[in-house]
Amino acid sequence: MDSTSATPPAKKPLKNPCNLCQSVRAILKRPKTGQQLCKECFFHVFETEIHNTITDNKLFSRGDRVAIGASGGKDSTVLAYVMKLLNDRYDYGLDLVLLSIDEGITGYRDDSLETVKRNRDQYQIPLLIISYKDLYGWSMDDIVKEIGRKNNCTFCGVFRRQALDRGAIMLNVDHIVTGHNADDIAETVLMNILRGDLPRLQRCTSIITNDTSEDSSGIETSKILRSKPFKYTYEKEIVMYAYFKKLDYFSTECIYSPNAYRGHARVFLKDLEAVRRTAIVDIIHSGEALSASVQANESTKLPTMSNCTRCGYISSNELCKACLLLEGLNRGLPQLGIGQTTKIRRMHDAAALNSTLASGLSAPNPTSLGSEASSANDTNKDASSRGVVVTHIKDLERLTTMPTLSSV
């Protein structure tokens, strides 16, 4: 027989082919679905799911200026990369900027901010960094020295949220996006259920939030939207995406976080995920259902939002949580603002009484947090002796131009 007309040998069947393209060997198994995929198919489904989350929930409008909360960690680094990618691929028409908060944690945040600066150069997205020290007169290192390792995450969480909004106001942005992933949201649902804090479920399960109120002068002090494009994205898949894309991110855990209550919810969630891979999304959907029932229940009291009488930030009380915590630090009462309201009030009254007796004046009648808030000017004088008095929201200096790519 002529060798030239011989039938070529049949190709051996591909071992472990990709479930989608069937033409390339699979190299990973998706934690979310169990699909075995090749690298390129994984990139496609990962990016497409986030694009669908953005479009299905109408997160943005063309022309929006969007601040990406950037910490240098895996979540925010992947978020910045994917937002830049999708904005270019699907022509969202967004004006993107990185916004980083320097909490002042030596050996952690200073190193992670170097990663953020490299991301700024790699993705060509402007960057603004603002610090706790500049805003509040205290760094997290200072706060931990004052209060110890317990409850420090309370201070950081409250200060960080307000710092992001203040930075967004300075940048004149319309929207803040954060890297909160499905694991983070499921953990928060569990924490709120374990604490019996059902009214907070609405906020933690919403993909987009908007705290808007007007102060006495009619000025909207918080109208910036916040959203979570990674709401249904598993943390493990974010890590896999960063690894296969060879993204530059900072992977060290905060040195003050091991004692956080969230850590216990995280361990429990991982145990559930090991038994049932859909547990994370199932918990989120359960939280959404509970949130809907809470909203439908007229007997459930939801807080009425107004503005802090001191700094103008959105608050359900006369003083916002940040001002209350800051006042405690400045007065040498770091536990002020932590715990039950009645306990806070007793500590607040005791501090006022001791201050009055020390000055040789007659003791005043016991005061409440509400009446104390009305004497904000006197309190600000005390606060200024230790730290910076927080600038009122409406007095923040707006940046007329975006930060340059070479700015720090």
Side-chain angles (χ1 to χ4, degrees):
M1 179 181 292
D2 188 356
S3 60
T4 58
S5 62
T7 304
K11 291 183 179 180
K12 293 182 180 180
L14 188 66
K15 289 185 178 180
N16 194 28
C18 171
N19 291 164
L20 293 184
C21 68
Q22 296 289 322
S23 59
V24 181
R25 184 175 180 179
I27 63 170
L28 60 88
K29 185 176 182 179
R30 285 194 71 187
K32 185 176 182 179
T33 63
Q35 287 177 304
Q36 299 185 53
L37 302 176
C38 67
K39 186 165 62 174
E40 293 304 319
C41 284
F42 171 66
F43 293 158
H44 173 74
V45 297
F46 183 90
E47 294 159 4
T48 301
E49 285 183 3
I50 296 169
H51 169 66
N52 290 339
T53 299
I54 290 172
T55 55
D56 291 348
N57 293 279
K58 298 180 174 61
L59 297 189
F60 311 116
S61 299
R62 174 170 289 276
D64 279 353
R65 177 175 286 185
V66 179
I68 303 170
S71 66
K74 64 184 185 311
D75 299 315
S76 64
T77 298
V78 172
L79 178 64
Y81 178 87
V82 172
M83 284 295 299
K84 169 75 171 176
L85 179 74
L86 298 181
N87 190 39
D88 294 341
R89 178 183 296 170
Y90 296 104
D91 191 24
Y92 292 162
L94 304 179
D95 190 6
L96 302 177
V97 59
L98 298 175
L99 174 59
S100 291
I101 308 301
D102 181 4
E103 300 94 341
I105 304 175
T106 305
Y108 170 69
R109 183 55 71 209
D110 46 359
D111 291 338
S112 70
L113 286 176
E114 292 303 315
T115 303
V116 176
K117 293 173 186 176
R118 292 195 298 271
N119 292 158
R120 170 199 61 195
D121 300 335
Q122 292 158 355
Y123 309 147
Q124 291 294 289
I125 304 176
L127 166 66
L128 174 68
I129 301 174
I130 56 178
S131 71
Y132 282 8
K133 195 76 172 180
D134 291 339
L135 288 177
Y136 309 114
W138 292 77
S139 68
M140 276 308 299
D141 286 343
D142 296 333
I143 293 172
V144 171
K145 287 178 184 177
E146 185 76 13
I147 70 171
R149 292 295 185 104
K150 188 176 182 180
N151 293 321
N152 56 75
C153 288
T154 298
F155 284 83
C156 194
V158 171
F159 286 170
R160 166 176 273 275
R161 179 176 179 82
Q162 186 170 138
L164 276 173
D165 277 346
R166 286 175 173 271
I169 291 172
M170 293 168 63
L171 287 167
N172 290 306
V173 302
D174 307 290
H175 207 116
I176 302 173
V177 291
T178 58
H180 291 95
N181 57 52
D183 299 56
D184 296 327
I185 296 170
E187 290 164 11
T188 306
V189 170
L190 289 174
M191 290 166 65
N192 285 328
I193 291 174
L194 292 173
R195 287 191 298 229
D197 197 351
L198 294 182
R200 285 180 184 256
L201 280 172
Q202 179 181 355
R203 174 176 294 280
C204 78
T205 57
S206 296
I207 192 169
I208 188 167
T209 56
N210 178 20
D211 291 335
T212 302
S213 65
E214 294 187 357
D215 63 12
S216 57
S217 61
I219 299 175
E220 284 189 306
T221 55
S222 182
K223 60 179 181 179
I224 299 168
L225 300 174
R226 280 174 174 258
S227 63
K228 302 179 278 271
F230 287 171
K231 178 180 178 180
Y232 300 110
T233 306
Y234 276 30
E235 181 180 46
K236 289 179 180 177
E237 297 197 356
I238 292 173
V239 174
M240 293 166 64
Y241 186 87
Y243 173 78
F244 287 114
K245 282 285 186 178
K246 295 181 171 57
L247 300 184
D248 182 6
Y249 68 93
F250 186 75
S251 57
T252 302
E253 185 180 14
C254 175
I255 59 177
Y256 297 138
S257 68
N259 298 322
Y261 178 54
R262 178 177 290 274
H264 302 289
R266 180 176 297 119
V267 171
F268 179 54
L269 183 65
K270 295 305 179 187
D271 289 341
L272 291 176
E273 185 187 9
V275 177
R276 179 185 175 92
R277 74 166 61 95
T278 60
I280 294 174
V281 170
D282 290 343
I283 289 173
I284 294 175
H285 291 325
S286 297
E288 291 170 340
L290 282 171
S291 173
S293 65
V294 169
Q295 288 179 277
N297 187 352
E298 297 181 357
S299 64
T300 302
K301 289 187 177 181
L302 296 176
T304 301
M305 306 308 291
S306 57
N307 293 95
C308 175
T309 57
R310 183 175 302 166
C311 74
Y313 190 68
I314 192 77
S315 175
S316 58
N317 298 304
E318 289 191 64
L319 283 183
C320 70
K321 191 74 168 179
C323 282
L324 193 58
L325 292 172
L326 187 60
E327 181 180 334
L329 289 170
N330 291 332
R331 289 189 170 199
L333 287 171
Q335 295 303 311
L336 185 67
I338 300 175
Q340 298 298 320
T341 304
T342 53
K343 183 178 180 181
I344 298 170
R345 184 177 292 115
R346 286 198 299 269
M347 295 176 65
H348 199 281
D349 294 342
L353 178 61
N354 290 337
S355 176
T356 302
L357 293 177
S359 64
L361 300 177
S362 60
N365 292 327
T367 59
S368 65
L369 285 177
S371 60
E372 185 68 24
S374 65
S375 59
N377 291 334
D378 294 337
T379 305
N380 281 346
K381 292 178 182 178
D382 294 336
S384 62
S385 64
R386 171 59 183 85
V388 177
V389 178
V390 180
T391 304
H392 196 283
I393 288 285
K394 64 183 179 183
D395 296 327
L396 284 174
E397 181 180 355
R398 267 68 167 178
L399 300 180
T400 55
T401 59
M402 294 286 274
T404 62
L405 291 173
S406 61
S407 62
V408 177

